[in-house]
Amino acid sequence: MSDVNRERPPRGWTRAMTARPRLTLLLALLFTALAVVAGSGVGDRLRSGGWEAPGSESAYAAEALDRYFPDAQPNLILLVDGRGAGVDSPEVAAEGRELGRRLAADKDVTGVTSYWTTGAPTLRAEDGREAVIAARIGGDDDAVAEAVERLAPEYRGRHGAVEVEVGGMAAFRNELQTTIQEDLARAELIALPVTLLLLVMVFGSAVAAVLPLGVGIVAILGTNAVLRGLTAFTDVSIFAQNLTTALGLGLAIDYALFVVRRFREELDTGADPLTAVGATLRTAGRTVLFSALTVAAALSAMFLFPQYFLRSFAYAGIAVVLLAAAAALVILPAALLLLGPRVNSLDLRRVLPRRRSQEAGREPGEGYARLARLVMRRAPLFAIGTVAGLVLLGLPFLQVQFGTADDRQLPATAEAHVVQQHIRDGFPGNPGGAITVLAEGRPTAEALGDYSSRLSALPGVVVVDGPAGQYAQGRRTAAPGPAEAARATDGAAYLTVLPKAESVDEASQDLVGRIRAVGAPFKASATGTAAQLVDTKDVIADRLPWAAALIVAVTLLLVFLLTGSAIIPLQAVLLNALSLTAMFGAVVWVFQDGHLSGLLDFTATGSIETTLPVLMFCVAFGLSMDYGVFLLSRIKEEHDRTGDHRAAVVFGVRRTGGLITAAAVILAVVMVAIGTSRIANTKMLGLGIALAVLMDAMVVRTLLVPAVMRLSGRATWWAPRPLKALHDRFGLSEGGDPGRAPGREEPVPDPDRDVNPDLQPEPARSG
């Protein structure tokens, strides 16, 4: 850091942040207390759905069915076991009818379908020992959850001659929400002490280690309050809380690490606390601001998708990023100003043996500098080898199969999972994967019968039935009965198509397309799990290019404003994308194909939930860009100071290598703690992003970036004249003021030149 920057008096933002540090900390304490109150109970107001595409054909049909036929889409299943006796035995049948009668009389139940009232073979296990009672609980998500919590204990367990287990989508969502809240509390108990220990190891000082943790806690509590407020206006996914904890700790620690490390560097040069804070905000502070904007931009791309599952992560992610940056740029400088040199108090390094490198007088980070010099001497080899390795790790993603979340997200012992697995394994067809076709426009009995016959003739169909309970086995379809005809005169009727394949299989998705292609003399709309999956995939495929374009455009702009180069932003985007290949390959190899499923304790479904790759891309890309900004800012700073490209790259790696690695390890610990969840999607999110940030910090930033920047040479900093003028006016540079090109200083001799002749300054080129 130059004396010019260090001795500059505080002004502008720096002056505002350092004017009244005690008042700033008092207001921060008040904000935190209010956030605790405002965010209390947020978990109980979050939703467990949100994967469906609103406005799609399947969403429309589902809503219309709820209006026309409240019992058409059961969401509560009672699996009745005859305890050794057949379900048709008098004792079991009597008990089954009584259970159905009691359930139908409940105030929250709008309809009940039972094997003992319909005789439907699809509601009876093939071995005759189990049968199903299916019910529909009406109301919104909160009402359904309350009804399930009341009804499940009442019906679960022994009832005379039968044993009952409770399942269905309502039970699954209720169990999912409870499990996520329990797992999140456990993850926080794991992550906080381990993170504190790692921070103590990084800083040596226990006082300095507490500061990043404090910033993270402020960001998490503030985001919980934001989410609590949003639930009054829109649906927010329960999964968003996991991202709040992960990014709240991870990014807050990243930003605080960068700020505290720079502050300590300034103190080491002899600066007083006020001057050190000012220099830190002008340098590391601007980097933190750029990083936060980049991460927020990546997360904002999820607003382009209509599913509230994805939009919820945008709400939570943007809030926690901005709050973490605000805490690092407002609260942390005030604390550092008051602490001054005491930030190094309780320095545990005093009781540990000094490292030999320090005894030899070498700078911290010399190991990273030696690695950077080695990489730059063999740049083509490292560039080709690293790219090839990353691409190889990502190859399994070419075999990805997209699906939707179901009961197998839960542990194998969860009741909702057990019930649905019994139905999958022991009942004919796939009752849980039925495709429901809504017929509107006053369809006649004759038209419904003809349409039903054509549906039953489609390949892959086991049964087509109607609301009155008539069933068609194979390719024979009964004509609609009086109940169907009566309902048709009210304007609508529905048919249920039972496929042979699993609901998320390609065969079931293809069947949805064939059903929608069958002509009808009335308006026909298909819904169900397979139809929702088809519509979700279509919406994501339609919006994904726009989301990617938004992320790329904003990233290019922000990195250009930081560096003034037209080449570095392109490198940053491409290298960031490469850093994600290992994550996507591992997701398919582990969670789709089931490798390591025993070790990680989850049930592989043969598919990946459709929205998760989008979420993981946005989060991991933003985090990778976070580390990229840290590295590029120090390279840019040194290049502006000396004009020596290769020495600047070595300097940047030396100064940030240990910091980025430490930040990545700490974030990975937080994500792995999230990954200990018993919910498969949460496990995949946590472990996948942990792998992505480690690969980015330890492979891309230390190997690929130096190699690529060595290959691009002085051209790395090229930009056409119009862009240079734009950067001179609007760009920000570490060590300089906005809108002002940094002053040139006499180059400081770099020890790299003496160690490696390859790093001598390149000769100036004409033009």
Side-chain angles (χ1 to χ4, degrees), residues 271-288:
D272 63 86
L274 180 59
T275 304
V277 167
T280 298
L281 286 177
R282 287 192 299 272
T283 56
R286 288 176 177 172
T287 301
V288 166

Side-chain angles (χ1 to χ4, degrees), residues 699-712:
V699 176
V700 174
R701 302 302 154 199
T702 57
L703 300 180
L704 196 52
V705 169
V708 170
M709 295 191 81
R710 171 65 180 90
L711 292 174
S712 57

Side-chain angles (χ1 to χ4, degrees), residues 231-247:
T231 59
F233 306 99
T234 187
D235 292 329
V236 181
S237 171
I238 184 72
F239 286 94
Q241 270 197 305
N242 293 295
L243 188 69
T244 297
T245 297
L247 289 187

Side-chain angles (χ1 to χ4, degrees), residues 545-589:
W546 294 102
L550 173 63
I551 292 174
V552 170
V554 175
T555 300
L556 291 175
L557 175 62
L558 290 175
V559 176
F560 165 73
L561 290 176
L562 177 66
T563 63
S565 164
I567 304 300
I568 292 178
L570 297 174
Q571 292 178 349
V573 169
L574 293 175
L575 298 187
N576 265 27
L578 273 174
S579 72
L580 308 184
T581 54
M583 175 186 72
F584 284 123
V587 160
V588 170
W589 190 78

Side-chain angles (χ1 to χ4, degrees), residues 709-733:
M709 295 191 81
R710 171 65 180 90
L711 292 174
S712 57
R714 291 168 58 88
T716 301
W717 306 98
W718 176 85
R721 288 183 181 275
L723 289 183
K724 281 187 177 295
L726 182 67
H727 182 265
D728 289 342
R729 183 171 182 182
F730 298 106
L732 294 178
S733 301

